[in-house]
Amino acid sequence: MEIRTATPADWPLIWPFLREIIAAGETYTWPRDVTEEQARRLWMPPAPARTVVAVAPDGAVLGSAKLAPNQGGPGDHVANASFMVTPAAAGRGVGRALAAHVLDAARADGYRAMQFNAVVATNTRAVELWRSLGFEVIGRVPEGFRHPARGYVDLLVMHRRLD
């Protein structure tokens, strides 16, 4: 698996699984009916953000991640990141590889920490992954997410220093 900077030509390979994940409404705070154009703007924003893809030897895009400042101005030294793995590649280490790549990129870009603002508490695979990579839950928004099957569930704020 290769992880590289995403190009506009990658978007048609990202969009199908991004649309599936968002439409399921279980892990992202995006509108479930997000349009392709809205999603492209959100997932592939201009610098200083960057988007990467994890690509199989056959050229299939297995997942993607986005790295950006969590806030602007005096808060831009803390990174934020988002990750999506195609359901067909779930459990194959794609998310962990993307996370390691993004953490290294954030350090190289001079970020001092990384913060996830809205990790859905019922997304246990993600929570376990982030904890295994040194993230801590530093906050909880009770019932901050409307899950389609479980009703209102908590959102977690997770943080990790990068030094």
Side-chain angles (χ1 to χ4, degrees), residues 27 105 131 142:
T27 57
R131 284 190 168 145

Side-chain angles (χ1 to χ4, degrees), residues 68-71 74-80 111-115 159-160:
N70 190 51
Q71 302 293 330
D76 67 0
H77 61 284
V78 176
N80 180 268
Y111 290 107
R112 297 183 48 145
M114 186 172 290
Q115 179 174 314
H159 178 270
R160 177 196 159 154

Side-chain angles (χ1 to χ4, degrees), residues 97-119:
L98 282 166
H101 181 90
V102 167
L103 286 166
D104 287 344
R107 275 188 213 91
D109 287 350
Y111 290 107
R112 297 183 48 145
M114 186 172 290
Q115 179 174 314
F116 302 142
N117 301 318
V119 180

Side-chain angles (χ1 to χ4, degrees), residues 121 131 137-144 153-157:
R131 284 190 168 145
V137 174
I138 61 167
R140 180 178 292 267
V141 180
E143 299 185 347
V153 299
D154 292 357
L155 283 176
L156 306 177
V157 179

